[in-house]
Amino acid sequence: MYRGRYVVGVLISLVQITVLYYIWRAIMSGGQRHAGYDWPQMQTYLLLSFLLTLVLSFGTEERVSASIRDGSVSLELLKPVHYMTLRVTELIAALFVELLSVGLCLALFVSTVLPAVPPETGSRFLLVLSFLLAVALKATIAITTGVLCFWTTNVLGLIACRQALALMLSGAMFPLQMLPDWLHTVAYALPFQSFFNTPTMIYFGRVGTADAAGLVALQGAWLIALAGMTALLLNRGFRRLDSYGG
Amino acid sequence: MAAEQRAHALTHFALLLRLQYRAKSAYRADLALEIVSALLRQGTWLAFMLVLLRRTPVVDGWDTWKMVFLYGLATAPLGLNVLLFDGVWKLTELIRKGELDSLLLRPVDPVLHLYTRSVSLHGIGDLAIGILAMSLAAQHVPLRFGLWTLPLLVVCVVSGSVVYASVNLASAALGFWFRELHNVPFLVQQFTDLARFPLALYPPVLTAIFFFPLPFAFVTYLPTVLLTEGGSVWVVLTAPAAAAVIHMLARLGFRLGLRRYESAGN
């Protein structure tokens, strides 16, 4: 039954990407290019967007906060493992299952409906690194959202806010170059573009090796900053924690 | 007798809703967060259209503002539905935990009771974005019915909220058969995203889904085409008709499901 639920979860992401797919298809019919992408490239772009949404999906994110919301976090604190270690191991375990399904989806898509464009980058190393960092950043954000539940029980609201911002400002809906200038600047000042924009820019060879290295370094910096902030929040959160025990 | 019962049901419905709202408004921060999250979620799609269509003004005969109008007309009933019928989301949990008994024992229609089991104020955000989108679009799109547009819109939005609620009820009632698949309503919810764009974009199979079993076309797509391109005003009447039919079917599904319901016992 868990498998059934997981499949439904994949379908949910699939429906979301379907909207984007058909709108883009209509817009690009007649061989138009947008932000330098032609239709086959755009299809690959959306495929990447779909796959990265699947990794560390909604369910995983919600589970992270569950122990805080129901109070069982106090039991976890008694164990001789740091809270963050616990969460990170949990996320890695979920990641393996999700990577498997992402792999299956990828194979299915590429062999049937969507022929993917191969990466056009100069540096495979940077490409792989940027994807790994993107996933790590997503995991960190998931834990941060979970930790915020020390202050609010409304985890759905928090996740919805983050998802909405990430959807637009990470480039998952459309290449960030299409944003008006001021919003483009805002997007680059926020961590969301490191989730998706960085790996795709490198994938499609939109940045030179030096710029790519800079973007990857930025991902690393955000990872450290967010992890530090989460640790700080966690510390304050534990101080707020009242639990009954006996 | 039946009329009297219906009047009673409405009073009950209003009373139960009022209680929920009173309880909900005690948590101010949660309330603000919910509304902000709805504004962000809907605002993202609106921004998407404005950004994308700035460069491609016409897609399949739909210009930007007509699409924005459709988006608004699909989002406003979503908001109204969340404000009035959001308790449906509790059904899968009630079934799994065997807690549906408390609803069945009361002398009120269990479906009405279920609808008011909880409320989410993020509907205010959805409703606001929907109305905003429609009024923005109305300044750019010629509306064929002049002042009559307004009552027609009200009919569509109210029917639309019933359609959304019924579809949610039916998909949640699937929980009677598939107890562990409690994310099916979320999947159906995602389809509402598709219905907010011109159905002409999609392949026919997908379009057909929006006539049945998810009849969103009657309350979003068809009325938008009518209001912006003109035609027989009777098209609008298919909206309440579709709402009534799908609501009956959803109730039927719920009642069939109840037969399979096993309480937790005590």
Side-chain angles (χ1 to χ4, degrees), chain B residues 154-168:
Chain B
V154 172
V155 171
C156 290
V157 171
V158 173
S159 318
S161 71
V162 175
V163 171
Y164 283 121
S166 311
V167 165
N168 284 342

Side-chain angles (χ1 to χ4, degrees), chain A residues 4-5 19 22 27 152 154 174, chain B residues 30 34 48 52 180 183 203:
Chain A
R5 207 183 302 163
V19 187
Y22 283 111
I27 287 170
T152 172
N154 194 349
F174 46 76
Chain B
D30 271 15
E34 272 188 11
F48 169 70
L52 210 57
E180 289 304 317
N183 52 359

Side-chain angles (χ1 to χ4, degrees), chain B residues 195-225:
Chain B
R196 286 191 271 190
F197 295 94
L199 296 182
L201 297 180
Y202 306 129
V205 184
L206 204 53
T207 310
I209 292 180
F210 294 112
F211 285 87
F212 190 82
L214 310 173
F216 301 132
F218 296 104
V219 288
T220 59
Y221 183 71
L222 294 181
T224 304
V225 173

Side-chain angles (χ1 to χ4, degrees), chain B residues 128-181:
Chain B
I129 289 271
I131 293 172
L132 178 76
M134 279 191 280
S135 32
L136 274 179
Q139 294 165 10
H140 300 269
V141 181
L143 293 171
R144 306 288 163 168
F145 293 93
L147 273 181
W148 283 103
T149 307
L150 213 55
L152 293 178
L153 281 180
V154 172
V155 171
C156 290
V157 171
V158 173
S159 318
S161 71
V162 175
V163 171
Y164 283 121
S166 311
V167 165
N168 284 342
L169 177 65
S171 57
L174 285 178
F176 284 115
W177 288 273
F178 310 101
R179 220 165 295 161
E180 289 304 317
L181 286 181

Side-chain angles (χ1 to χ4, degrees), chain A residues 56-66 69 141-146 148-149 152-167 192, chain B residues 33 37 40-41:
Chain A
L56 293 182
S57 51
F58 176 76
T60 318
E61 195 167 6
E62 209 204 356
R63 248 197 333 275
V64 170
S65 67
R69 275 177 299 150
I141 281 272
I143 299 177
T144 315
T145 316
L148 283 175
C149 287
T152 172
T153 52
N154 194 349
V155 66
L156 291 182
L158 280 177
I159 296 179
C161 281
R162 192 196 55 71
Q163 275 179 337
L165 286 175
L167 196 59
F192 300 112
Chain B
L33 187 62
S37 76
L40 275 177
R41 198 175 118 78

Side-chain angles (χ1 to χ4, degrees), chain A residues 1-6 8-9 11-13 15-16 18-20 22-27 29 32 34-35 58 151-158 160-162 164-165 167-168 173-174 177-180 183, chain B residues 29-31 33-34 36-38 40-45 47-49 51-56 58-60 67 96 177-184 186-188 190-191 193-194 197 200-203 206:
Chain A
M1 268 311 195
Y2 289 115
R3 253 167 294 162
R5 207 183 302 163
Y6 188 74
V8 175
L11 285 177
I12 291 175
S13 313
V15 172
Q16 191 178 32
T18 307
V19 187
L20 291 174
Y22 283 111
I23 294 175
W24 271 109
R25 194 184 69 158
I27 287 170
S29 62
Q32 289 181 34
H34 277 271
F58 176 76
W151 289 271
T152 172
T153 52
N154 194 349
V155 66
L156 291 182
L158 280 177
C161 281
R162 192 196 55 71
L165 286 175
L167 196 59
M168 186 165 70
M173 282 176 139
F174 46 76
Q177 298 100 291
M178 295 184 73
L179 286 176
L183 208 53
Chain B
D30 271 15
L31 184 78
L33 187 62
E34 272 188 11
V36 169
S37 76
L40 275 177
R41 198 175 118 78
Q42 308 304 353
T44 304
W45 281 108
F48 169 70
M49 277 190 285
V51 165
L52 210 57
L53 301 170
R54 212 165 44 130
R55 315 198 171 201
T56 323
V58 180
V59 177
D60 279 0
M67 278 176 82
R96 270 191 310 146
W177 288 273
F178 310 101
R179 220 165 295 161
E180 289 304 317
L181 286 181
H182 53 77
N183 52 359
V184 169
F186 287 97
L187 176 61
V188 174
Q190 277 293 325
F191 274 93
D193 270 351
L194 285 168
F197 295 94
L201 297 180
Y202 306 129
L206 204 53

